[in-house]
């Protein structure tokens, strides 16, 4: 029998009849209850599933702000935080952050520490009849100034660096319209401190049970 730490869970096997990118379905307590194709899971009655958000901050304290491609089926054209995504079955959230940063933004996170800051964030949002319903832990990563970007036009319409304080203040006063999830995240992040570099790192044991998969790194 495999010895499994109580902090982490082993992934369930993926059914052989499912193909394409898969998302992990979770119950209200954040435990995995199955998988489903990402292409078919989003609609008017989207089941709760596992996701993540990440805030990429450079050494000068600027946030990488992205605008979702207008061709995306969910929340097209919406300005939001640096990147979001879904871990695959058995994939750790830090590994998923690195994978998505590379595929979506052409951003190589390399050895930059990926810090968990809001382990239990979750939300439900709707746009044009399409619902997002996610258990969505939030991460922050600090990168060097001038790090190369190569956004995928199918995913990202634009990307720019904005001082974190400007983004924070304009989101909170309503002068910058961003995704509803980033608005809610910012409200919680400000409680962690003014400087993202000082935000305390949460323990992996605070993650939803479905997210407690060890990184391959």
């Amino acid at each position: 029998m495999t010895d499994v730490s109580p902090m982490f869970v082993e992934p369930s096997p993926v059914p052989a009849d499912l193909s394409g990118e898969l998302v992990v379905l979770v119950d209200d307590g954040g435990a995995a209850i199955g998988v489903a194709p990402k292409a078919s899971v989003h609609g008017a009655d989207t089941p709760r599933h596992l996701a993540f958000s990440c805030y990429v901050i450079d050494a000068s304290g600027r946030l990488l702000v992205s605008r979702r491609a207008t061709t995306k089926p969910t929340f097209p054209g919406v300005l939001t935080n640096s990147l979001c995504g879904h871990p695959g079955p058995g994939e750790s959230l830090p590994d998923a952050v690195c994978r998505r940063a590379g595929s979506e933004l052409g951003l190589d996170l390399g050895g930059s520490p990926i810090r968990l800051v809001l382990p239990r964030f979750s939300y439900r949002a709707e746009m044009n009849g399409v619902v997002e319903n996610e258990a969505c832990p939030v991460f922050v990563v600090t990168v060097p100034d001038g790090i190369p970007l190569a956004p995928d036009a199918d995913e990202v319409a634009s990307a720019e660096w904005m001082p974190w304080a400007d983004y924070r203040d304009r989101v909170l006063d309503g002068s910058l319209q961003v995704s509803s999830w980033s608005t809610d995240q910012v409200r919680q992040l400000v409680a962690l401190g003014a400087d993202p570099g000082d935000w305390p790192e949460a323990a992996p044991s605070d993650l939803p049970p479905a997210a407690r998969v060890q990184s391959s790194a």
Side-chain angles (χ1 to χ4, degrees):
M1 179 179 296
T2 303
D3 181 22
V4 181
S5 164
M7 186 180 296
F8 298 102
V9 297
E10 290 184 318
S12 300
V14 178
D17 60 340
L18 294 180
S19 60
E21 185 176 354
L22 302 175
V23 298
V24 178
L25 304 179
V26 298
D27 63 18
D28 289 341
I33 57 173
V35 297
K38 176 185 172 184
S40 64
V41 75
H42 296 91
D45 191 26
T46 302
R48 174 63 55 108
H49 55 279
L50 186 61
F52 66 83
S53 280
C54 184
Y55 287 69
V56 179
I57 309 286
D58 71 8
S60 295
R62 298 178 301 173
L63 171 69
L64 180 59
V65 181
S66 64
R67 186 177 298 278
R68 294 165 65 85
T70 58
T71 54
K72 289 183 72 67
T74 57
F75 292 80
V78 171
L79 194 69
T80 191
N81 53 287
S82 308
L83 65 137
C84 302
H86 307 86
E91 182 181 30
S92 78
L93 289 179
D95 286 348
V97 169
C98 287
R99 171 179 57 80
R100 192 65 177 168
S103 65
E104 184 172 305
L105 292 162
L107 178 61
D108 182 5
L109 295 182
S112 301
I114 300 170
R115 296 187 292 119
L116 173 65
V117 289
L118 297 178
R120 288 283 181 171
F121 180 82
S122 65
Y123 75 98
R124 186 182 185 279
E126 180 178 352
M127 181 179 180
N128 301 330
V130 178
V131 172
E132 278 286 16
N133 184 11
E134 298 183 335
C136 185
V138 179
F139 295 81
V140 62
V141 58
T142 301
V143 298
D145 288 349
I147 192 169
L149 298 176
D152 178 354
D154 291 333
E155 298 288 343
V156 179
S158 63
E160 63 176 305
W161 295 97
M162 180 183 298
W164 162 250
D166 288 358
Y167 183 85
R168 175 198 65 205
D169 293 347
R170 293 180 62 193
V171 167
L172 293 178
D173 69 18
S175 62
L176 184 66
Q177 297 298 309
V178 302
S179 66
S180 59
W181 61 86
S182 187
T183 299
D184 290 344
Q185 289 164 1
V186 168
R187 290 174 179 148
Q188 295 186 34
L189 290 170
V190 295
L192 301 181
D195 184 351
D198 294 334
W199 290 343
E201 185 169 7
S205 56
D206 291 332
L207 286 166
R212 298 173 197 168
V213 177
Q214 295 190 61
S215 172
S216 63

